[in-house]
Amino acid sequence: MDDFKNTDFTALARKQKSIQMKMRLLALAHFQDGKSRTQIAQFLKVSRTSVNKWVSAYLNEGLSGLQEKPRPGRPS
């Protein structure tokens, strides 16, 4: 949890090329600032469920938890 307080999510978001990853990192930056998950969802114009998943994934697995997971099914 100490790592969460010392991480600069905004700087990490600026370096990302993936829009999805930028959104996840910005959500964590707002969460770090003390915003509620509902406020974050409204600000980023995403569902609160998505914000909950991103925050939980980071708290459980760190930055690797935010990476895109392989999609199930046959590749296109």
Side-chain angles (χ1 to χ4, degrees):
M1 192 67 171
D2 190 43
D3 192 35
F4 176 73
K5 293 177 185 174
N6 296 330
T7 304
D8 186 0
F9 294 108
T10 307
L12 289 173
R14 281 191 207 112
K15 296 176 185 176
Q16 289 296 319
K17 292 182 180 175
S18 166
I19 297 297
Q20 293 86 356
M21 191 62 167
K22 279 187 184 197
M23 293 286 282
R24 294 172 188 146
L25 291 168
L26 288 174
L28 288 170
H30 288 295
F31 187 71
Q32 189 179 43
D33 290 340
K35 303 278 192 283
S36 73
R37 294 175 191 203
T38 303
Q39 290 172 323
I40 297 167
Q42 289 172 346
F43 181 77
L44 295 176
K45 294 181 175 55
V46 296
S47 71
R48 201 182 88 205
T49 305
S50 294
V51 175
N52 286 337
K53 285 180 188 176
W54 299 338
V55 171
S56 296
Y58 177 78
L59 293 176
N60 292 331
E61 303 172 38
L63 286 175
S64 62
L66 298 176
Q67 299 296 325
E68 282 286 321
K69 308 285 189 281
R71 307 257 169 158
R74 188 175 132 223
S76 57

